[in-house]
Amino acid sequence: MMTDAAMPELLRIPHPNPVSEAERVARIADPGFGKTFTDHMVTIRYTEGQGWHDATLGPRGPLTLDPATAVLHYAQEIFEGLKGYRLGDGSMAMFRPDANARRFNASARRMAMPELPEALFIESCRALVDIDRDWFPSAEGGSLYLRPFMIATEAFLGVRPANEYLFMVIAASTGNYFKSGAPAVSLWVSEHYNRAGPGGTGAAKCGGNYAASLVPIAEAMQAGHDQVIFLDAKEHRWIEELGGMNVFFVFDDGTIQTPPLSDTILHGVTRDCLIALAREEGLTVREEPYAIDQWRDDARSGRLVESFACGTAAVVTPIGKVSAPEFSFVIGSGGPGQMTQKLKSRLIDIQRGVAPDTHGWVFPVG
Ligand code: COI
């Protein structure tokens, strides 16, 4: 697919009638995850032969789509998730938007969609955080969650890559992803369903992968668990990831392990940060396959002392219990472990500007 490097300017149209201050303050007091939306959004259109055009930062509102719009039929869609934070000096910053921009383009290539210039992706996110900074929630652990995404907008029913697309960024005032409030989450091993197969779209951040995870997630929740854990499609033995989060294992010798990247695992930005931070602490991190039966045996013998899930939305979430039809095991004390807490604090301190950003991960919004 043609990549157009031309970068249109963002036209800024401030909302003429934004949510009142009193209403906004009430909404962001306890925003939940992904349901308290800000006043503005970014829209940029792509037309084959013309490239990216009509870039606007304007009032948030509904879309009008022809019923034949390609994304509605064949799910040609990709998205990202990243966060904006308020630093100690009151200024706003984004965390690693360049990494999200690169992954977005990797997803675009897999889904036969046009790539967006990285600078345009970053500027779209920056401008939205800037204009909607007052939506930053005061609650502990709060952030402005950004959702950049792209859909195929050409109206046609043939199965081929579309020639018109819409890129958008919306923002949500956001608290914790898991609403259970429990100190650690419990997981259900998906017995019948796989998230991804070799050669498929597992490494792309596309809506279809998440659609496929909904039945197993619902199954997990019906059985009283918070999330599902997926195994590989070939042997149904090797641990891959949760429904939207990567997974880490901590052993009694202080080493850490996480499944290696492949075309069936999402290349998580938080995963990448945690590997870097752990290695800086002098810890050994193995990116190697880990089997579900080994996880069970190691947890029972005490060789495995902690496990955690990670992602932009979930940040670092301790895993306390894992269940499958034939077995169930508790990890460590069933609550947050020391290493999990330490790595989480290291990450959050950098995100919030409390610890120095030696990696260039924090992007000032201005
Ligand atoms: C994120 O962590 O940003 C995701 O996109 C995953 C989803 C569970 C919200």
Side-chain angles (χ1 to χ4, degrees):
M1 168 124 324
M2 186 188 91
T3 297
D4 195 301
M7 181 161 144
E9 282 279 310
L10 266 188
L11 173 70
R12 285 167 171 73
I13 308 173
H15 202 309
N17 187 22
V19 171
S20 72
E21 187 180 350
E23 175 63 23
R24 173 170 34 80
V25 168
R27 287 192 203 171
I28 67 178
D30 183 16
F33 179 84
K35 54 184 185 172
T36 305
F37 298 105
T38 66
D39 287 315
H40 296 88
M41 65 183 188
V42 171
T43 53
I44 310 178
R45 295 200 173 268
Y46 179 92
T47 307
E48 193 80 25
Q50 185 182 355
W52 292 101
H53 59 94
D54 287 325
T56 307
L57 169 67
R60 185 178 188 282
L63 299 177
T64 303
L65 296 175
D66 188 284
T69 299
V71 66
L72 302 178
H73 301 271
Y74 310 122
Q76 202 186 3
E77 186 270 355
I78 57 172
F79 69 95
E80 273 301 324
L82 67 151
K83 284 179 174 173
Y85 298 94
R86 181 163 288 154
L87 305 181
D89 63 2
S91 66
M92 294 295 295
M94 296 183 292
F95 192 69
R96 301 195 70 180
D98 54 335
N100 292 93
R102 283 193 293 276
R103 188 173 64 183
F104 191 70
N105 281 339
S107 299
R109 288 192 292 276
R110 179 62 186 85
M111 299 298 286
M113 299 171 96
E115 293 181 44
L116 186 77
E118 275 179 32
L120 188 53
F121 179 101
I122 296 170
E123 174 53 16
S124 300
C125 295
R126 195 203 64 77
L128 185 57
V129 173
D130 192 23
I131 200 165
D132 282 339
R133 59 177 61 221
D134 289 343
W135 285 88
F136 183 83
S138 44
E140 173 77 25
S143 61
L144 264 191
Y145 182 81
L146 303 178
R147 173 51 60 87
F149 64 102
M150 185 187 347
I151 56 173
T153 47
E154 188 189 356
F156 80 111
L157 296 179
V159 181
R160 60 154 171 80
N163 55 33
E164 285 169 20
Y165 295 88
L166 175 63
F167 168 76
M168 298 185 65
V169 191
I170 54 173
S173 183
T174 286
N176 285 332
Y177 183 73
F178 288 104
K179 42 183 184 297
S180 73
V185 293
S186 88
L187 304 186
W188 176 251
V189 182
S190 186
E191 226 201 335
H192 303 295
Y193 300 105
N194 297 117
R195 181 187 163 276
T201 58
K205 205 160 171 67
C206 63
N209 291 339
Y210 294 76
S213 74
L214 297 180
V215 164
I217 288 177
E219 207 179 70
M221 287 177 174
Q222 267 157 24
H225 305 282
D226 299 294
Q227 253 291 343
V228 65
I229 184 133
F230 290 104
L231 305 178
D232 75 292
K234 260 194 198 156
E235 295 180 58
H236 207 64
R237 177 162 184 240
W238 304 103
I239 298 161
E240 295 210 315
E241 62 176 83
L242 280 64
M245 288 149 237
N246 294 118
V247 59
F248 280 76
F249 312 97
V250 182
F251 297 89
D252 60 353
D253 60 359
T255 62
I256 298 177
Q257 188 159 332
T258 188
L261 294 180
S262 67
D263 64 353
T264 58
I265 289 188
L266 189 80
H267 299 200
V269 177
T270 311
R271 174 190 182 279
D272 183 69
C273 293
L274 295 173
I275 292 174
L277 293 175
R279 286 186 177 147
E280 270 169 29
E281 297 276 325
L283 301 169
T284 300
V285 183
R286 291 181 299 275
E287 295 181 69
E288 289 172 12
Y290 194 49
I292 183 70
D293 44 345
Q294 192 69 50
W295 195 14
R296 176 198 61 204
D297 295 349
D298 287 345
R300 286 182 178 163
S301 73
R303 181 175 170 256
L304 175 114
V305 289
E306 299 175 34
S307 301
F308 58 87
C310 69
T312 299
V315 193
V316 174
T317 300
I319 299 168
K321 191 175 172 195
V322 180
S323 301
E326 311 82 40
F327 61 81
S328 175
F329 59 91
V330 172
I331 296 167
S333 61
Q338 272 182 9
M339 181 77 82
T340 305
Q341 293 299 82
K342 182 175 166 181
L343 289 173
K344 180 177 178 179
S345 302
R346 288 272 291 119
L347 178 69
I348 289 178
D349 285 353
I350 297 171
Q351 289 171 334
R352 306 267 163 176
V354 174
D357 171 30
T358 54
H359 305 89
W361 288 343
V362 177
F363 278 55
V365 163

